[in-house]
Amino acid sequence: MTPTDTQIARAALPDSRRERLAWGAAVAAVVVLGYLLVLSVDPRFFYIDDTESGAVPNWLQLGRIMRDGHFPSLVLDQWMAGNYPVEGQGGLWNPVQMAINYISPSIDNLVLLATVVKLGFSILLAWGVFRVALAYGARANWAAVAGASAPFVGFTLFFENTSWVTALMGTAWIMNAWASSVSYARGRSGPIVPFVFLYLAISVGYVHAAVMAGVMIGSVAIGERLFQRLWRPALKVCAVGIAAAACGAVTFLPGVLTSAVTWRSGDEGTFNDNFLT
């Protein structure tokens, strides 16, 4: 059977807002289902390695300091580990991370805490991929397939989702910044949304996320220059990226400015090999 003219015309129409929202909800549902399937095999899958020994304890410590009425800057009783502005991954300037820190001491089940936080960012990542696909012209159903699969690809599932949660956070913010930057370049939205997503990605404090944000903005600017054959959209995207980087500089400047008197464990010196932890 060959498609009728009506069917062809209907297929050429863009998806309605209602359809996009419905498929977006389906993306979130699939991610939740995927998490439940993983947890049915290994309840501690999302609470191992650096998440267990670093990230969650950090959230708890910073949250307790905040609840005592102090800003978690220099914590003297932690010796060298208590200079939180230098260690950008404390997320001191990221409002979402600070909210996680503040809530964390109220949750006794740390496996549940880590899993719920990672589930939230996995859904955010999936929505970001979904939005990127839509921004480049994919139909909502196929964009949903791309989005729902994103949290379960190899590196994301077995590294970011299990251990290195700051990488998951940064990637989730960047994918949404990417989609919003394309929309802004094409005149479908304003500059505030891409700026917010970029700032959140940078202020997570994970340097690779900041580098990815810069690469993404540069790539979008070049792509929109070639696609629209105009300089203005590319310059608009670059301006938002520069503004976000300037606001996010406070996350990395302390570390850069003190790098001459800091180091990381290597072949020599004292380091934690996790023995007996």
Side-chain angles (χ1 to χ4, degrees), residues 136-235:
Y136 285 108
R139 299 307 299 257
N141 52 348
W142 288 110
V145 172
S149 63
F152 304 106
V153 298
F155 186 84
T156 301
L157 179 61
F158 291 103
F159 179 71
E160 294 179 338
N161 254 312
T162 55
S163 174
W164 204 241
V165 64
T166 46
L168 176 64
M169 294 174 174
T171 305
W173 293 128
I174 286 169
M175 293 308 299
N176 283 278
W178 182 358
S180 298
S181 296
V182 173
S183 295
Y184 175 51
R186 298 183 181 182
R188 297 196 291 261
S189 67
I192 300 300
V193 177
F195 169 83
V196 169
F197 281 129
L198 282 168
Y199 173 76
L200 290 172
I202 294 169
S203 59
V204 163
Y206 185 42
V207 67
H208 291 79
V211 171
M212 283 195 296
V215 171
M216 182 275 291
I217 284 295
S219 299
V220 170
I222 293 171
E224 292 306 306
R225 170 67 180 90
L226 297 175
F227 174 73
Q228 301 192 52
R229 300 186 183 279
L230 297 170
W231 279 107
R232 181 176 173 81
L235 294 176

